[in-house]
């Protein structure tokens, strides 16, 4: 068989996969413009009447605007805190010779092996002991804490591959540890840092479990919590607005990806394999 003949099945399979993965989104979009009767009668048909009011109802009732703002606060602040702490920790693990560096690295990486759900009760009890519920600062620190193991793993692995002769040259030129970290090693490690930042941002942005446990004030709901609350209140009786709420929750994520598509792809590929 020629190479061309192998491409045809590959293209067909790729097209099939694309249809399978895109159909739920298509179904949600057309359902968001229908009423309950149309949704239940024919899931494949286009709306007879395009009910844009479903989006207005979902936006006003679920307070999507406030939820999106909260999600961005959690995600941006949590990601920045994670990257700053993770980069400094990686610098210590790779550039400062300490007797316990190996044990410290294993300690950080062990965070990847512990299921989040096993920590829900002890952490909630601990935070409840000092009335830390419904607190932006506590939520941001909590998110950053759970993102640190993967961040340290990615950045440390990358920094280890940077030639230490660069450090020696920088020290000879009068650079201190802070200058070496932030002016030299951080720019060189940007592929790994961007990869860690991308993963942390989307993980925090889409979080549900910690917002459910730590927040009961509607004004602090993130986008996942706002959607779950809206579905719980109106999902069984108003399917159209429920699907509209789902679409409104994924629009910011799609917009961010389209804006930073090149950086997302280059960061993930460069972070996976160091040149």
């Amino acid at each position: 068989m020629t190479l061309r003949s192998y491409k045809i099945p590959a293209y067909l399979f790729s097209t099939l996969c694309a249809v399978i993965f895109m159909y739920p989104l298509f179904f949600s979009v057309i359902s968001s413009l229908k009423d309950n009767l149309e949704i239940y009668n024919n899931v494949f048909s286009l709306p007879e009447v395009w009910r844009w009011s479903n989006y207005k109802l979902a936006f006003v009732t679920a307070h999507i605007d406030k939820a999106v703002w909260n999600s961005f606060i959690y995600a941006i602040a949590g990601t920045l805190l994670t990257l700053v702490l993770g980069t400094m920790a990686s610098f210590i693990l790779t550039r400062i010779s300490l007797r316990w560096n190996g044990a410290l690295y294993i300690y950080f990486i062990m965070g990847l092996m512990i299921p989040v759900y096993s920590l829900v009760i002890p952490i909630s009890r601990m935070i409840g002991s000092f009335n830390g519920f419904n607190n932006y600062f506590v939520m941001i620190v909590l998110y950053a804490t759970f993102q640190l193991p993967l961040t340290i793993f990615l950045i440390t692995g990358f920094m280890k591959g940077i030639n230490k002769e660069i450090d020696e040259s920088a020290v000879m030129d009068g650079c201190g540890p802070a200058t070496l970290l932030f002016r030299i090693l951080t720019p060189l490690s940007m592929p790994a840092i961007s990869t860690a930042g991308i993963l942390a941002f989307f993980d925090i942005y889409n979080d549900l479990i910690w917002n459910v446990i730590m927040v009961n004030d509607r004004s602090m709901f993130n986008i996942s919590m706002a959607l779950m609350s809206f579905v719980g209140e109106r999902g069984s009786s108003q399917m159209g607005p429920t699907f509209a709420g789902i679409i409104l929750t994924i629009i910011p994520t799609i917009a961010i990806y389209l804006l930073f598509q090149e950086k997302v792809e280059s960061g993930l590929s460069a972070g996976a394999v160091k040149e």
Side-chain angles (χ1 to χ4, degrees):
M1 296 179 68
T2 63
L3 181 60
R4 185 181 182 84
S5 62
Y6 281 109
K7 287 184 178 180
I8 295 175
Y11 286 143
L12 291 176
F13 179 74
S14 300
T15 303
L16 178 62
C17 290
V19 171
I20 292 173
F21 285 115
M22 289 298 295
Y23 177 73
L25 179 61
F26 171 75
F27 172 74
S28 297
V29 171
I30 62 172
S31 297
S32 69
L33 299 168
K34 297 179 180 180
D35 59 15
N36 284 4
L37 186 62
E38 288 182 280
I39 293 173
Y40 291 129
N41 285 344
N42 194 336
V43 298
F44 298 100
S45 65
L46 293 175
E48 294 181 5
V49 178
W50 297 76
R51 302 179 186 276
W52 297 102
S53 58
N54 287 344
Y55 282 89
K56 181 179 179 180
L57 180 60
F59 195 90
V60 173
T61 306
H63 303 288
I64 297 295
D65 54 340
K66 180 63 175 177
V68 170
W69 175 251
N70 286 333
S71 290
F72 275 112
I73 291 175
Y74 296 138
I76 294 174
T79 300
L80 289 176
L81 181 59
T82 301
L83 293 180
V84 171
L85 295 178
T87 302
M88 291 192 294
S90 299
F91 173 74
I92 294 172
L93 291 171
T94 59
R95 262 30 193 198
I96 298 178
S97 298
L98 299 175
R99 185 184 306 174
W100 54 82
N101 268 5
L104 189 61
Y105 178 71
I106 294 173
Y107 173 77
F108 283 127
I109 300 307
M110 283 177 63
L112 295 172
M113 309 173 193
I114 301 175
V116 175
Y117 299 100
S118 66
L119 302 175
V120 168
I121 294 176
I123 288 179
S124 61
R125 290 289 298 273
M126 180 181 67
I127 292 177
S129 66
F130 59 85
N131 297 320
F133 295 113
N134 299 315
N135 186 298
Y136 280 105
F137 177 76
V138 170
M139 291 297 296
I140 290 168
V141 171
L142 186 64
Y143 283 134
T145 300
F146 280 95
Q147 297 301 321
L148 266 178
L150 181 58
T151 301
I152 291 174
F153 174 75
L154 292 172
I155 300 176
T156 299
F158 196 94
M159 276 193 181
K160 283 182 179 178
I162 298 176
N163 198 322
K164 290 191 176 182
E165 291 181 0
I166 295 176
D167 304 15
E168 297 171 0
S169 300
V171 171
M172 291 177 64
D173 289 336
C175 289
T179 304
L180 175 62
L181 171 60
F182 293 109
R183 299 284 298 272
I184 298 175
L185 291 180
T186 296
L188 291 174
S189 302
M190 280 310 296
I193 293 173
S194 62
T195 300
I198 290 163
L199 296 176
F201 179 89
F202 283 110
D203 194 35
I204 297 172
Y205 183 87
N206 294 312
D207 170 72
L208 176 61
I209 181 172
W210 291 116
N211 212 255
V212 169
I213 296 168
M214 302 298 172
V215 176
N216 53 36
D217 182 355
R218 279 184 173 271
S219 65
M220 291 183 60
F221 281 1
N222 68 356
I223 202 162
S224 299
M225 185 63 182
L227 177 61
M228 188 183 76
S229 176
F230 178 73
V231 171
E233 294 174 354
R234 299 173 179 268
S236 59
S237 60
Q238 295 179 301
M239 293 298 296
T242 298
F243 279 108
I246 293 172
I247 297 302
L248 288 172
T249 61
I250 65 177
I251 285 176
T253 306
I254 295 175
I256 290 171
Y257 179 79
L258 292 177
L259 286 173
F260 300 101
Q261 181 179 1
E262 292 184 3
K263 290 190 177 294
V264 170
E265 293 174 353
S266 62
L268 289 173
S269 60
V273 180
K274 185 182 183 302
E275 296 178 359

